[in-house]
Amino acid sequence: MKISIQEGHPALEVVIQCPQADDTVHKIKTLLHSQNQKLPCTLDGATHFIDPMDTLYFESVDKRSYLYTAKAVYETPLRLYEIEALLADALFIRSAKAQIINLAQIQSLCPDFGGRIEAVLTNGEKLIVSRQYAKNLKERLNLS
């Protein structure tokens, strides 16, 4: 893959030249689109707009959705299925019924009992990827 940057243009424009638009090209496109996307969240009564790439994972607890970053835990009005639809083509994947994980934040993976996988995030937090979603995780990370 060849990457070049040309300065001096009046506006930012990204052009992807390729022989054929495959999955990698579509992932790059989605990742670039997600750079302008911020997720609405609340913390201590204040509304914040969080960059999805700063998110470690999302979790649903008692019909409420939470967004976890390295610095804080925010509540979001979005449901997990809405978050999954927004970010599915990016580096996010469902890792359990009530959890979506940022693949870019995974530091290591370790097999766990019953076909589950333990994912250690960049902040040291450990999450369990359920057996139901383990195969999809391995495929997305090109491990199978």
Side-chain angles (χ1 to χ4, degrees), residues 91-136:
L91 295 173
F92 291 84
I93 189 170
R94 181 76 70 142
S95 55
K97 183 178 178 182
Q99 186 174 282
I100 297 172
I101 193 168
N102 183 347
L103 296 176
Q105 297 289 344
I106 295 176
Q107 185 175 4
S108 65
L109 297 173
C110 182
D112 198 25
F113 179 73
R116 300 180 312 175
I117 298 173
E118 180 182 76
V120 179
L121 304 181
T122 55
N123 69 342
E125 190 167 350
K126 296 177 181 179
L127 299 176
I128 298 296
V129 178
S130 72
R131 183 173 47 107
Q132 179 181 358
Y133 298 98
K135 181 180 177 186
N136 192 22

Side-chain angles (χ1 to χ4, degrees), residues 72-104:
V73 178
Y74 301 88
E75 186 173 349
T76 178
L78 301 171
R79 298 285 177 228
L80 284 187
Y81 72 88
E82 294 171 320
I83 295 167
E84 188 175 29
L86 282 171
L87 303 173
D89 292 332
L91 295 173
F92 291 84
I93 189 170
R94 181 76 70 142
S95 55
K97 183 178 178 182
Q99 186 174 282
I100 297 172
I101 193 168
N102 183 347
L103 296 176

Side-chain angles (χ1 to χ4, degrees), residues 8-97:
H9 294 275
L12 177 63
E13 179 183 8
V14 177
V15 177
I16 301 173
Q17 297 177 342
C18 58
Q20 182 178 357
D22 58 6
D23 286 342
T24 302
V25 172
H26 289 293
K27 287 178 185 177
I28 292 169
K29 178 184 172 194
T30 303
L31 186 60
L32 289 169
H33 277 293
S34 71
Q35 291 301 307
N36 295 330
Q37 187 176 29
K38 304 285 184 188
L39 300 173
C41 302
T42 56
L43 179 65
D44 299 329
T47 300
H48 300 266
F49 294 93
I50 306 297
D51 184 340
M53 295 314 293
D54 293 335
T55 304
L56 297 169
Y57 65 100
F58 299 91
E59 186 174 44
S60 179
V61 179
D62 295 332
K63 297 185 181 180
R64 293 178 182 245
S65 298
Y66 297 94
L67 179 153
Y68 293 78
T69 67
K71 297 179 182 179
V73 178
Y74 301 88
E75 186 173 349
T76 178
L78 301 171
R79 298 285 177 228
L80 284 187
Y81 72 88
E82 294 171 320
I83 295 167
E84 188 175 29
L86 282 171
L87 303 173
D89 292 332
L91 295 173
F92 291 84
I93 189 170
R94 181 76 70 142
S95 55
K97 183 178 178 182

